[in-house]
Amino acid sequence: MDLNQVIYLGNQITEQSGHGYEIIFAVVMIIGVLLLCFGLSNDIWVLFLTGVLLVIVPISLLAVFGDIFQTYQLNEYHKSVAQWKREVVNPYIESLPKEKKEIVFLKIETELSTELKDNRWYTYSSEVQQTPLTVSFKDKGITTLTNWYDASMELTNERKPYIEYQKVPEDLGHGMDKGFYNVRIYLPESYTFTEIK
């Protein structure tokens, strides 16, 4: 599957609005109330009180059932987006070539908020504890990223640290932005976090 197909399938998922059904329901209820009122009595007060009750009750029901219907639609929308991400986006990202670039700077960000930690940047569930890092690497100049990343200390001491990732060239929609996915940082076994120069 190519990039355009992924975007096209994502664009097919839209957030539905239930307001059309609510308007039709309200119009039918008002017509029903008017017909019922005129058929019940000729007394103006009975007609007025019946009309008020028959308007308030349907509007209350409309509000309750409209909210339930909208919540259902919103849940369906989120399920569809999750399914699209799982069945379309993740396989697309995993099919992208893995790029490896030499790291030129690496620093632990002890003050980095956990709110920045966002697993959407990984198409797999990580068994590795993620580390808050700022990493700079060679990629058409120097690129710097700061987030929580998988870091693996499995290189021999003779090898230079590098970053591996898959790059999405365009926004896919539904929060799947262009950028770096499945970022993994490889470090020598005896690496200590200082600036790499």
Side-chain angles (χ1 to χ4, degrees), residues 92-100 164-168 181:
Y92 166 72
I93 292 172
E94 289 169 1
S95 74
L96 294 173
K98 289 184 178 178
E99 297 185 41
K100 293 180 182 179
E164 181 180 81
Y165 58 85
Q166 291 163 301
K167 192 171 186 179
V168 174
Y181 287 76

Side-chain angles (χ1 to χ4, degrees), residues 130-144:
Q130 293 181 339
T131 308
L133 298 170
T134 292
V135 59
S136 297
F137 55 94
K138 296 177 183 178
D139 178 42
K140 297 178 186 170
I142 302 294
T143 300
T144 300

Side-chain angles (χ1 to χ4, degrees), residues 6-21:
V6 172
I7 293 171
Y8 173 78
L9 290 172
N11 288 338
Q12 300 304 304
I13 303 169
T14 57
E15 203 167 343
Q16 300 292 321
S17 172
H19 296 300
Y21 298 111

Side-chain angles (χ1 to χ4, degrees), residues 29-194:
M29 290 305 295
I30 290 171
I31 291 170
V33 165
L34 292 174
L35 291 175
L36 189 59
C37 285
F38 286 118
L40 282 179
S41 172
N42 291 334
D43 184 7
I44 192 77
W45 285 107
V46 172
L47 183 64
F48 175 75
L49 291 175
T50 305
V52 168
L53 284 174
L54 290 175
V55 168
I56 290 174
V57 170
I59 288 175
S60 299
L61 290 173
L62 175 66
V64 170
F65 287 113
D67 189 45
I68 290 170
F69 184 68
Q70 223 158 2
T71 301
Y72 170 77
Q73 284 184 322
L74 192 59
N75 286 340
E76 288 300 309
Y77 166 76
H78 288 299
K79 284 181 189 176
S80 296
V81 169
Q83 181 179 7
W84 170 75
K85 286 179 180 181
R86 186 177 56 254
E87 295 176 6
V88 177
V89 175
N90 287 354
Y92 166 72
I93 292 172
E94 289 169 1
S95 74
L96 294 173
K98 289 184 178 178
E99 297 185 41
K100 293 180 182 179
K101 304 290 180 177
E102 181 184 341
I103 293 174
V104 294
F105 174 81
L106 185 65
K107 176 181 153 191
I108 289 183
E109 293 293 341
T110 55
E111 301 297 317
L112 189 64
S113 169
T114 56
E115 291 176 15
L116 190 59
K117 187 175 184 176
D118 192 348
N119 288 329
R120 74 176 172 173
W121 301 102
Y122 290 91
T123 59
Y124 57 88
S125 62
S126 177
E127 303 269 329
V128 179
Q129 180 89 17
Q130 293 181 339
T131 308
L133 298 170
T134 292
V135 59
S136 297
F137 55 94
K138 296 177 183 178
D139 178 42
K140 297 178 186 170
I142 302 294
T143 300
T144 300
L145 304 173
T146 300
N147 208 327
W148 293 75
Y149 296 112
D150 284 356
S152 173
M153 298 180 85
E154 58 187 54
L155 299 178
T156 61
N157 290 331
E158 295 79 37
R159 294 193 56 199
K160 290 188 174 190
Y162 67 90
I163 185 170
E164 181 180 81
Y165 58 85
Q166 291 163 301
K167 192 171 186 179
V168 174
E170 291 182 37
D171 289 348
L172 304 177
H174 304 291
M176 298 302 290
D177 302 328
K178 74 177 185 175
F180 302 93
Y181 287 76
N182 298 331
V183 175
R184 188 154 189 168
I185 296 168
Y186 292 89
L187 304 168
E189 293 172 343
S190 61
Y191 183 78
T192 56
F193 282 91
T194 57

